[in-house]
């Protein structure tokens, strides 16, 4: 066995164990008995300790010194292993274990606090996690920027400075569009009625199937906060049902199908290697967003959905497919990021991006977070947050230690804008298929040009290779202005 | 940290990882997408490799040499860790790997051979496994008896000589009872009808609740072969539904609740220690059996079930609760162990016990196994086996290397007989509660006298402490003769 073979075999086992940890997380959010939280925390801590030990195993350093790559794929594998080894080696085992345990417990505390609108029950726990994350960031940054060090886990190569500049470029056009749309004379109707859970779930399955979701390698369950989980042969989606609002279920399903499709679309030769996963959260979000928005909320696909929903619910409160299209894309003031429309979504992200940068930098204390959130929300959205569950308690991310994650949602939107422009140019006929509930040509284009590569290229390279153009916010903003200008008759 | 603390902390992590492996097995049998089999095999292999490495970690030997126990519980923990370490260390890594590989492959071969009634496809594979198991037994036995060395994994402290003597004492009375019952004039009716899956599952949940199953620490799913899985805060049950035979679902549910209750009933201080699990397969089976048979198939509880089923299915094909009680306990000739009634079940076990002892001792060759099975079945049951799927191919056990496991089922029945006699003496009013669908007094008695101790005492001590008497086959046989004598009006 060569050093490369030894390293590769070792890595395969680590990848398998990491996949197990992710499956445990799925279990916890979907099917785990509610009394098992402490036990699961201990189990998660144990497997994270094993993973940490493997990721920092000194043999990796020795193998890396001796291993030679025969081609670009092998070289990229070595580079990715080296990066992870370098980062993991910087985090003390005690800190890794403590973070795993605290974040596992904090999820339950957060959920309870949100249900009770009681930030005081959650914020002390959040403060503990923030302290641990700052310690982690300092260890990773090695003298560099703390926030960038965390960002690297989610969007390798990105910096807060570059993202801040991108957001600064986006904000004026988004704010202007938001003002125009909210002030427009024509306002789409809301969908009225009661939509039974079972029927929603049946339609959600039909939507997933329309987007080519592979049910032999996946399944759909209910979760409080929809997510997708797993890779290779087993990538599962979750959804939720609000009986007054079927779009919540249907579009979160399509969104998660986008994530899972990316994982399932990766070249199967990459399974159990560092190439066998989405390369960044931004790249991931570009898939969930383009599935959900540019495709799923487009006029063509929504026309098909209108017919399916009319049949399933025995008529709808909107008169026709055009009105339905406007309803699906309705822009309203709202507190909740996950329910935000395409126009306002990125503004929600910018708020979190700035607050979490302040938290990590120590410019903002957790005890002042609720106030800071509410002040910023009022400033950005012109509305006062009515209750903590609609404000600072709405997202799970910070409770599980995901600082540096939020901006990748907006990056994903920007990437999706770029991909959509290229895809539409390559597939002039696409809407004809989407109008029949067939997203296969779009899925195939995305698979061929992007998904199958997994982590072979860095995120920017991946998107720029797929589109043949430099990444820019312009395609997304052009698309939004054109789409919402038409819907709102601006 | 003392050596004891180090060892204890290390063991906690091993216990947590072992619990994760069990949870993965549950996932595979209940919710896993069918296309994920290869990936799961790789994941299981990875976590088993980690577990094997930990169980044979040389530090355990060093810690054991230095660690001192402060009380009996700590001493028992040290003894159990030492036993497992000694056993794991005796098995060469090559043999462990080869056994894992062969038994993983053999399961599929066995299932295929059973489906095709083709023993010739399976027996060569079984022979390979037998050779490996004999090698394992020789390594474990260290000069002692091969079969006893294997038995130790399932029923610590038991010997084949002692079990053979017990079975010899049981056989004549069981055979005589079987003859009388099958020749009786009165024969209970079968339950006729179609019983919808959803209603069966609702009733199964009601039965589990009647037996005090803690839904906050468990859940129920469907599996091909019902099993229970997990411990401490998370012990899940599975069941199956046959729409022509609701007893299959209901009594396998109660059976699995017995297993899960034992795990959930263990003192919570023992979680993540070697004390935190059922002490033997026989002790485990005593719980599943007493829940299912002595309690669940008793006149009092079956009277409550009769009423519930009559309501749920809008009447039943049997006229009253007495007839229903006879139907629930109907004895018929049959080939299949898992479908056998209380009278004949142990005879099925004795057949397997003798055959597998001969295989391990080298007195019987695998190529003669089918003939030996058929001859023995004819002798014991007076019926010729009609096809291999109903004979030598019916059980999964040998294909996965479980030699020495079968006798623990019958030991469990004997223990259940002992426990039942003591419990009835202690709770003269029990039937009054059971007739109301309330098994709480029985469950509490079992928890207090047995379940809570986990693996603190060896199996015999555990049962004898609980009953205050020596283990004997007499209580079980007395109970069977009295119960079936009354039902069959002998």
């Amino acid at each position: 066995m060569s050093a490369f073979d030894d390293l590769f075999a070792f890595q395969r086992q680590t990848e398998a164990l990491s996949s197990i940890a992710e499956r445990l997380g799925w279990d916890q959010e979907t099917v785990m008995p509610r009394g098992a939280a402490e036990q699961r925390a201990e189990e998660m801590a144990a497997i994270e300790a094993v993973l940490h030990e493997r990721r920092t195993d000194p043999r990796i350093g020795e193998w890396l010194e001796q291993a030679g790559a025969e081609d670009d794929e092998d070289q990229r594998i070595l580079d990715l292993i080296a990066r992870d080894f370098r980062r993991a080696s910087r985090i003390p085992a005690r800190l890794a274990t403590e973070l795993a345990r605290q974040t596992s417990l904090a999820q339950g505390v957060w959920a309870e606090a949100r249900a009770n609108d009681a930030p005081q029950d959650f914020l002390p726990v959040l403060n503990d996690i923030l302290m641990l994350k700052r310690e982690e960031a300092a260890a990773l940054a090695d003298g560099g920027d703390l926030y960038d060090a965390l960002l690297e886990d989610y969007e390798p190569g990105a910096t807060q400075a570059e993202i801040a500049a991108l957001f600064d470029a986006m904000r004026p056009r988004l704010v202007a569009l938001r003002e125009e749309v909210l002030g427009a004379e024509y306002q789409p109707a809301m969908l009225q009625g009661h939509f039974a859970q079972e029927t929603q779930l049946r339609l959600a399955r039909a939507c997933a199937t329309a987007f080519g979701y592979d049910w032999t390698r996946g399944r759909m369950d209910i979760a409080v906060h929809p997510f997708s989980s797993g890779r290779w042969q087993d990538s599962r989606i979750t959804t939720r049902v609000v009986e007054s609002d079927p779009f919540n279920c249907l579009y979160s399903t399509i969104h998660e199908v986008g994530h899972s499709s990316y994982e399932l679309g990766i070249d199967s030769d990459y399974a159990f290697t560092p190439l066998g996963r989405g390369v960044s959260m931004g790249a991931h979000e570009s898939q969930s967003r383009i599935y959900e928005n540019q495709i799923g909320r487009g006029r063509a696909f929504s026309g098909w959905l209108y017919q399916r929903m009319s049949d399933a619910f025995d008529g709808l409160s909107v008169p026709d497919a055009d009105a339905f299209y406007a309803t699906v894309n309705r822009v309203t003031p709202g507190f909740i990021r996950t329910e935000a429309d395409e126009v306002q979504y990125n503004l929600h992200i910018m708020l979190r991006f700035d607050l979490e940068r302040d938290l990590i930098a120590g410019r903002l204390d957790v005890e002042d977070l609720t106030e800071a959130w509410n002040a910023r929300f009022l400033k950005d959205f012109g509305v006062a947050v009515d209750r903590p569950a609609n404000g600072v308690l709405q997202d799970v991310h910070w409770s599980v230690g995901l600082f540096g994650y939020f901006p990748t949602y907006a990056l994903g939107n920007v990437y999706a804008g770029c991909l959509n422009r290229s895809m539409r140019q390559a597939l002039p006929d696409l809407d004809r298929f989407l109008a029949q509930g067939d997203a296969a040509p779009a899925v195939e284009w995305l698979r061929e040009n992007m998904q199958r590569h997994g982590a072979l290229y860095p995120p920017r390279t991946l998107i720029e290779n797929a589109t043949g153009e430099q990444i820019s916010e312009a395609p997304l903003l052009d698309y939004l202005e054109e789409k919402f200008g038409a819907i709102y008759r601006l």
Side-chain angles (χ1 to χ4, degrees), chain A residues 108-130:
Chain A
V109 177
W110 163 77
E112 188 88 8
R114 188 173 78 154
N116 299 332
D117 257 323
Q120 68 280 9
D121 293 348
F122 170 61
L123 292 178
V125 177
L126 178 61
N127 193 57
D128 293 344
I129 289 171
L130 177 63

Side-chain angles (χ1 to χ4, degrees), chain A residues 115-163:
Chain A
N116 299 332
D117 257 323
Q120 68 280 9
D121 293 348
F122 170 61
L123 292 178
V125 177
L126 178 61
N127 193 57
D128 293 344
I129 289 171
L130 177 63
M131 293 304 118
L132 292 169
K133 290 300 288 187
R134 288 178 60 176
E135 193 183 338
E136 185 191 25
L140 290 172
D142 199 24
D145 183 82
L146 295 192
Y147 190 84
D148 287 353
L150 296 176
L151 194 53
E152 179 73 13
D153 265 341
Y154 314 114
E155 200 66 19
T159 65
Q160 62 163 319
E162 157 200 299
I163 294 171

Side-chain angles (χ1 to χ4, degrees), chain A residues 123 126-127 130 355 358-359 362-376 392 398:
Chain A
L123 292 178
L126 178 61
N127 193 57
L130 177 63
L355 289 179
D358 287 348
L359 287 170
R363 292 187 298 263
L364 174 63
D365 292 335
V366 165
E367 63 183 27
D368 301 323
L369 179 60
T370 307
E371 201 180 330
W373 180 292
N374 293 345
R376 173 69 185 261
V392 70
W398 291 337

Side-chain angles (χ1 to χ4, degrees), chain A residues 114 116-119 333-336 339 370 373-375 377-378 381-394:
Chain A
R114 188 173 78 154
N116 299 332
D117 257 323
F335 298 114
I336 305 294
E339 296 169 4
T370 307
W373 180 292
N374 293 345
F377 194 88
L378 184 62
F381 293 88
V383 190
V385 171
D386 60 347
R387 41 189 279 239
N390 284 337
V392 70
L393 289 182
Q394 73 180 264

Side-chain angles (χ1 to χ4, degrees), chain A residues 213-214 217 231-235 260-266:
Chain A
Y213 184 57
D214 181 352
R217 295 188 292 156
R231 39 195 195 269
W232 308 319
Q233 294 184 329
D234 188 356
S235 188
S260 269
S261 291
Y262 186 11
E263 295 293 336
L264 296 173
I266 293 170

Side-chain angles (χ1 to χ4, degrees), chain A residues 273-351:
Chain A
T273 81
L275 303 183
R277 64 172 66 100
V279 69
S280 73
M281 293 303 122
H284 243 294
E285 199 68 10
S286 77
Q287 300 305 284
S288 57
R289 287 284 156 180
I290 199 171
Y291 277 55
E292 176 186 356
N293 291 332
Q294 281 89 351
I295 304 170
R297 293 187 203 270
R299 176 61 184 83
F301 186 81
S302 72
W304 173 79
L305 184 59
Y306 170 71
Q307 200 52 59
R308 291 296 301 252
M309 287 182 67
S310 296
D311 294 348
F313 295 115
D314 211 13
L316 291 177
S317 67
V318 293
D320 57 35
D322 282 324
F324 182 83
Y325 171 56
T327 294
V328 160
N329 289 287
R330 195 162 165 268
V331 178
T332 50
F335 298 114
I336 305 294
R337 174 185 61 84
T338 58
E339 296 169 4
D341 49 78
E342 288 180 82
V343 174
Q344 297 180 95
Y345 188 91
N346 296 309
L347 297 170
H348 287 273
I349 294 303
M350 292 171 192
L351 176 156

